Amino acid sequence: MELPAQTFQVTRADLVRYAGASGDFNPIHWSDRVATTVGLPGVIAHGMFTMALVGRAVTEWAGSPDAVVEYGVRFTRPVVVPDDQGTEIEVTARVREVTEDGLTRLDVTATCLGEKVLSQARATIRTAG
C-alpha cells in the first residue's frame, strides 16, 4: 500500500533558519562560492534538515509524533538549493509490513528533481486503533 505523497519546498531562507537553530554554519549551506570550490554543484541543504522534513512526513502519516517508534536514513545525494526559487523534496512511502502487535513498517523514498536523496529510509509507526 502506498501512502499519500508529501512535498516540501526548500529555500535558502529555510537553510539560514536551520543553521541558526542547529548551530551548523558551514558555508556550503549558504555560499555558492564555497560550495562550488569544494566540488559541490551549489549550496546544499543540511543533511539533518532533509532528514527532518522526511520525519515530518512520517509523523503526518503516523498521525502523532509519539506514534513514530523508529526512523532512520542514509544520506545518498545532496539537496541542491538554488538561490532564486529553491527546490522541492517529495516524500513517498510504501507499507512494508503490519505486525501483529500494531506496528507498521514503512519504506520511505525522498527525491529531489527526480533523484533519490536518501537511501535505506525506513520508519516504524504505531498503528492507531
Side-chain angles (χ1 to χ4, degrees):
M1 175 174 116
E2 298 289 325
L3 299 177
Q6 297 184 52
T7 302
F8 299 94
Q9 182 71 27
V10 180
T11 66
R12 293 274 179 99
D14 295 322
L15 302 186
V16 170
R17 285 189 288 273
Y18 185 81
S22 69
D24 181 352
F25 295 100
N26 187 325
I28 64 172
H29 302 303
W30 54 267
S31 170
D32 283 303
R33 181 184 54 77
V34 172
T36 56
T37 298
V38 299
L40 294 167
V43 165
I44 63 169
H46 303 74
M48 295 303 288
F49 178 69
T50 301
M51 186 177 178
L53 290 177
V54 175
R56 185 185 299 175
V58 170
T59 299
E60 180 73 25
W61 291 319
S64 170
D66 65 349
V68 179
V69 176
E70 186 174 31
Y71 168 55
V73 306
R74 293 224 175 158
F75 302 105
T76 306
R77 179 178 316 269
V79 173
V80 178
V81 183
D83 190 30
D84 51 356
Q85 77 278 4
T87 195
E88 289 184 340
I89 297 173
E90 182 179 64
V91 186
T92 59
R94 182 181 59 79
V95 173
R96 181 170 29 113
E97 175 187 18
V98 178
T99 67
E100 289 182 20
D101 56 350
L103 298 178
T104 300
R105 292 194 169 82
L106 304 175
D107 289 328
V108 182
T109 302
T111 58
C112 181
L113 300 175
E115 299 210 24
K116 279 181 150 183
V117 296
L118 301 175
S119 66
Q120 298 180 26
R122 295 185 182 106
T124 301
I125 60 177
R126 194 173 304 105
T127 307

